[in-house]
């Protein structure tokens, strides 16, 4: 009997976290299903959508621009130092183009937006949750998913691809500046090499990744804020969880999307 009790205690100790994890996963999938359904059913709150587009898009431009331009400049320097040893300096423009459009612009932009907007979404919705404003919306016959979640998800899907396209241009320009004014490339040759190597697949990959990342950022910000409990401390925890979970999922889905596009 003593042995069986020890086994039971061990199984309970191991099973409780697993059950809790599975409950959280199920809760997340239910939230995703509710969010997607309410994104396509009326009423639509266009004013809320426009405000989220401005917050996520326009006000994130400086952060995205600084991130991508220095990423392009660093890639130009690093690739030149590597290619110079084998006499392949002419490949610098191609490496900058591919690196920025396929990986650096979508991933770095998403991580910056997740830190800036994902945290803000979780804090705003979490504050509404702990101060019972979401309950007040329900009392006033306003669906919180349609009013709070759907506009943010649509904003993420719309804005992130635009930010990444702008980041592509700025990042490639950063590589151009370093290549021409630091490394001594001919400006016309650098531009021609970039245009000749540019393919639709490079842009498409980055845009698809951006849409996926925008959905993840908005979803995790809304989910963690909507499920927050425990006053100010709960809102702080929700904000941290939103940024961390968004960043991890961005890196995971970055590989998944890359595998879908470039697997042989």
């Amino acid at each position: 009997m003593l042995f069986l009790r020890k086994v039971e205690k061990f199984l309970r100790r191991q099973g409780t976290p697993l059950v809790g994890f599975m409950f959280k996963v199920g809760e997340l999938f239910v939230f995703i299903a509710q969010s997607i359904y309410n994104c396509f059913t009326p009423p639509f709150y266009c004013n809320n959508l426009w405000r989220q587009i401005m917050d996520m898009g326009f006000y994130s431009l400086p952060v995205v621009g600084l991130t991508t331009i220095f990423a392009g400049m660093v890639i130009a320097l690093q690739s030149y130092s590597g290619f110079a040893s084998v006499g392949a300096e002419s490949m610098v423009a191609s490496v900058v183009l591919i690196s920025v459009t396929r990986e650096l612009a979508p991933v770095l932009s998403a991580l910056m937006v997740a830190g800036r907007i994902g945290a803000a979404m979780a804090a705003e919705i979490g504050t509404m949750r702990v101060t019972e404003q979401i309950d007040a919306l329900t009392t006033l016959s306003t669906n919180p998913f349609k009013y709070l979640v759907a506009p943010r998800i649509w904003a993420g899907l719309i804005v992130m691809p635009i930010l990444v396209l702008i980041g592509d241009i700025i990042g490639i320009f950063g590589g151009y500046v370093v290549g021409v004014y630091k490394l001594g490339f001919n400006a016309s040759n650098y531009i021609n090499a970039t245009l000749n190597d540019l393919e639709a697949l490079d842009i498409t990959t980055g845009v698809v990744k951006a849409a996926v990342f925008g959905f993840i950022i908005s979803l995790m910000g809304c989910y963690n804020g909507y499920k927050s409990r425990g006053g100010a401390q709960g809102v702080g925890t929700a904000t941290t969880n939103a940024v961390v979970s968004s960043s991890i999922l961005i890196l995971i889905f970055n590989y998944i999307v890359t595998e879908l596009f470039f697997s042989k």
Side-chain angles (χ1 to χ4, degrees):
M1 290 295 294
L2 181 60
F3 174 74
L4 292 178
R5 287 179 181 176
K6 288 184 177 180
V7 172
E8 181 184 0
K9 186 181 294 185
F10 173 79
L11 293 176
R12 285 181 181 273
R13 192 182 302 117
Q14 300 303 317
T16 300
L18 178 61
V19 171
F21 173 75
M22 295 305 297
F23 176 79
K24 288 292 184 182
V25 171
E27 191 178 58
L28 175 60
F29 276 101
V30 171
F31 187 89
I32 293 173
Q34 289 179 303
S35 301
I36 294 175
Y37 172 78
N38 286 285
C39 283
F40 294 98
T41 55
F44 302 104
Y45 296 92
C46 296
N47 289 335
N48 287 1
L49 174 61
W50 176 248
R51 183 170 69 87
Q52 295 304 321
I53 288 175
M54 291 296 294
D55 288 342
M56 182 178 283
F58 181 77
Y59 296 119
S60 295
L61 275 175
V63 177
V64 172
L66 283 173
T67 302
T68 51
I69 193 170
F70 282 106
M73 294 167 74
V74 168
I75 288 296
L77 284 175
Q78 294 282 22
S79 58
Y80 180 81
S81 64
F83 289 138
S85 60
V86 294
E89 297 92 337
S90 59
M91 295 298 296
V92 170
S94 300
V95 171
V96 171
L97 171 69
I98 293 174
S99 300
V100 170
T101 54
R102 292 185 183 180
E103 292 296 328
L104 294 180
V107 174
L108 294 180
S109 298
L111 292 175
M112 292 297 104
V113 173
R116 181 182 178 275
I117 297 299
M121 288 182 181
E124 183 179 354
I125 297 178
T127 302
M128 295 181 69
R129 167 60 72 187
V130 299
T131 56
E132 300 181 351
Q133 295 181 51
I134 293 179
D135 297 330
L137 287 174
T138 305
T139 304
L140 295 172
S141 299
T142 301
N143 189 331
F145 279 88
K146 295 184 185 296
Y147 188 80
L148 297 175
V149 178
R152 287 167 169 80
I153 290 179
W154 276 119
L157 291 171
I158 294 170
V159 165
M160 278 305 301
I162 298 173
L163 285 177
V164 167
L165 288 175
I166 296 173
D168 288 342
I169 297 171
I170 296 175
I172 293 171
F173 175 74
Y176 167 84
V177 169
V178 170
V180 173
Y181 297 102
K182 172 70 176 177
L183 304 177
F185 286 97
N186 179 272
S188 298
N189 291 341
Y190 191 98
I191 294 173
N192 289 332
T194 300
L195 294 176
N196 290 335
D197 292 331
L198 180 63
E199 296 182 1
L201 181 62
D202 300 331
I203 305 299
T204 303
T205 303
V207 170
V208 171
K209 286 184 178 182
V212 173
F213 298 161
F215 178 78
I216 289 172
I217 293 168
S218 301
L219 179 70
M220 298 314 296
C222 293
Y223 171 75
N224 285 282
Y226 195 86
K227 299 297 182 179
S228 64
R229 297 290 187 276
Q233 184 177 0
V235 173
T237 302
T239 303
T240 303
N241 291 340
V243 176
V244 173
S245 58
S246 297
S247 300
I248 293 173
L249 288 174
I250 284 168
L251 297 177
I252 292 173
F253 277 89
N254 178 52
Y255 173 79
I256 293 173
V257 176
T258 303
E259 180 73 18
L260 292 175
F261 272 95
F262 298 104
S263 61
K264 295 182 179 179

